[in-house]
Amino acid sequence: MKTPNMKAIVYKHYGAPEVLHLTEVARPTPKDNEVLIRIHATTVTSGDVRLRKADPFAVRFMFGLMRPKLQILGHEAAGVVEAVGSKVTRFRKGDRVFGSTGLGSGTYAEYISLPEDGALVTTPASVSDEEAATLAVGALTALYFLKQAKLSAGQHILIHGASGSIGTAAVQIAKSMGAHVTAVCSTANVALLRSLGADRVIDYTKEDFSTMGLTYDAIFSTVGRTSYAQSKTLLNTGGVFLTSFAAPSDFVHMLGSKLFGGTRVIGGGAPDGSADLEHIRSLMAAGQLKAVIDRSYPLAQMVEAHRYVETGHKKGNVVIKVAA
Ligand SMILES: NC(=O)c1ccc[n+]([C@@H]2O[C@H](COP(=O)([O-])OP(=O)(O)OC[C@H]3O[C@@H](n4cnc5c(N)ncnc54)[C@H](OP(=O)(O)O)[C@@H]3O)[C@@H](O)[C@H]2O)c1
């Protein structure tokens, strides 16, 4: 029997948003250990933009030197289980689920097959597909780094880039750990960060967080706009610097802290895991973690969505509604 087709956004060349085209491709068939998901919502992340542009150039060494090896972008999604492979035990047809593709991609499409033991969990009844779709990249990354910091109740953390996808989740997760949170963002996002629970908000257009005489047990640079070198004097003894987008100098300090000890500098890629996603799920179900959605676009307006995310100033997340 011929495999049915599905709509997907495909890119065959690196470049401007216009390389993304709505087209029809074969629907995936789940392997024995996989779950076929009918996608209701996905997102455009800043990582998707980097992959589309092959920026930095090093992207090409991993994802295709001349052209992208994986021609459908998108790393997180929410939807409904359409079918399961013969060895799947964790999910059943009809389950609402959300998750991430890990290092793979392919959620700019009507269907995707994902392994049941990957970063995939059921969606709480109180959470919409649009909301759930935003939490398997930003929140999972935020949780990974905050766990590395081993934050305890009452400790002070500064979150730089607090209005982005990782930042908005990090503020809420750090609050759920009992930390005192200082968020750094621009004027337009001060009220948002307060509403997410930040104890102190620093508007970077008016104040320089590094010269205010405040110190922290952890500093989390989520969008790479501050480095360990710029903020190390603000760390208390035993403090930790976290970065989800490390500057070249951060890599040197990461190596140094591994080899010689001293202040911990933690960067690199956050691994995907169903255990951490279960933690995210429970925070959402308990109302301690809310999705921040800036804009939503239909699948057919992917080019516009990429143009917007590329500005670098989205608030939280940009959602793509795949199913009508
Ligand atoms: N290590 C990992 O495993 C991992 C995983 C996922 C993503 N990442 C990377 O992490 C980075 C952040 O991802 P994201 O999705 O959170 O980014 P994002 O949502 O695209 O970040 C956008 C936010 O950055 C803020 N921003 C821009 N310039 C700023 C500045 N000078 N100071 C403070 N805030 C500023 C903007 O706020 P304003 O409008 O207020 O400026 C905006 O709200 C990306 O580079 C992504 O590729 C890493």
Side-chain angles (χ1 to χ4, degrees):
M1 196 175 73
K2 189 177 175 295
T3 315
N5 278 353
M6 66 173 183
K7 286 186 192 144
I9 302 288
V10 169
Y11 80 130
K12 295 191 172 172
H13 305 279
Y14 296 118
E18 291 71 21
V19 297
L20 300 164
H21 293 285
L22 181 62
T23 185
E24 296 238 334
V25 298
R27 188 193 288 188
T29 308
K31 297 189 187 119
D32 289 351
N33 66 331
E34 286 184 341
V35 172
L36 178 70
I37 300 158
R38 178 167 168 74
I39 296 176
H40 289 171
T42 179
T43 65
V44 177
T45 65
S46 49
D48 295 350
V49 170
R50 277 183 209 292
L51 289 182
R52 191 205 75 224
K53 292 164 71 177
D55 176 22
F57 189 85
V59 159
R60 292 174 184 258
F61 298 126
M62 206 164 161
F63 295 97
L65 199 55
M66 303 306 288
R67 50 183 57 86
K69 282 189 240 170
L70 301 174
Q71 297 188 340
I72 304 179
L73 277 171
H75 293 87
E76 59 186 341
V80 175
V81 173
E82 178 88 3
V84 295
S86 59
K87 296 194 173 137
V88 168
T89 55
R90 283 182 63 218
F91 300 99
R92 281 188 302 190
K93 185 175 178 193
D95 283 349
R96 291 180 65 224
V97 290
F98 72 102
S100 100
T101 61
L103 279 179
S105 65
T107 61
Y108 292 3
E110 288 181 308
Y111 294 88
I112 191 166
S113 279
L114 292 176
E116 72 157 340
D117 60 353
L120 188 67
V121 294
T122 55
T123 307
S126 57
V127 175
S128 72
D129 290 324
E130 285 80 12
E131 291 167 325
T134 69
L135 291 164
V137 173
L140 208 55
T141 305
L143 177 63
Y144 166 74
F145 280 99
L146 292 172
K147 278 170 68 175
Q148 297 291 311
K150 299 188 174 67
L151 272 189
S152 50
Q155 286 195 314
H156 284 236
I157 181 168
L158 177 130
I159 298 173
H160 198 276
S163 51
S165 175
I166 298 173
T168 50
V171 167
Q172 299 176 77
I173 297 169
K175 284 306 300 173
S176 77
M177 293 171 166
H180 181 283
V181 175
T182 298
V184 181
C185 64
S186 67
T187 314
N189 294 316
V190 169
L192 168 68
L193 270 307
R194 288 224 172 90
S195 75
L196 295 178
D199 300 286
R200 185 191 296 124
V201 182
I202 298 174
D203 179 345
Y204 72 75
T205 68
K206 296 182 178 151
E207 290 177 293
D208 179 353
F209 77 97
S210 66
T211 58
M212 295 172 71
L214 300 165
T215 62
Y216 305 93
D217 303 299
I219 295 180
F220 189 0
S221 170
T222 68
V223 289
R225 299 305 173 101
T226 189
S227 64
Y228 173 66
Q230 287 168 308
S231 38
K232 62 182 175 187
T233 57
L234 312 185
L235 281 171
N236 296 330
T237 307
V240 55
F241 181 81
L242 310 164
T243 176
S244 48
F245 191 70
S249 65
D250 292 334
F251 285 111
V252 176
H253 293 294
M254 269 159 59
L255 191 64
S257 76
K258 271 204 178 129
L259 291 177
F260 308 114
T263 306
R264 283 189 302 146
V265 180
I266 296 168
D272 294 289
S274 59
D276 277 354
L277 205 56
E278 285 291 358
H279 187 151
I280 298 291
R281 181 191 188 284
S282 62
L283 289 174
M284 288 163 75
Q288 289 184 295
L289 176 61
K290 293 193 175 66
V292 176
I293 297 177
D294 183 350
R295 297 185 181 183
S296 296
Y297 295 84
L299 188 66
Q301 285 179 20
M302 187 63 82
V303 170
E304 287 82 351
H306 264 248
R307 281 196 196 117
Y308 179 59
V309 174
E310 199 166 340
T311 64
H313 292 287
K314 71 177 164 66
K315 302 172 201 303
N317 303 280
V318 166
V319 168
I320 301 295
K321 288 186 185 178
V322 178

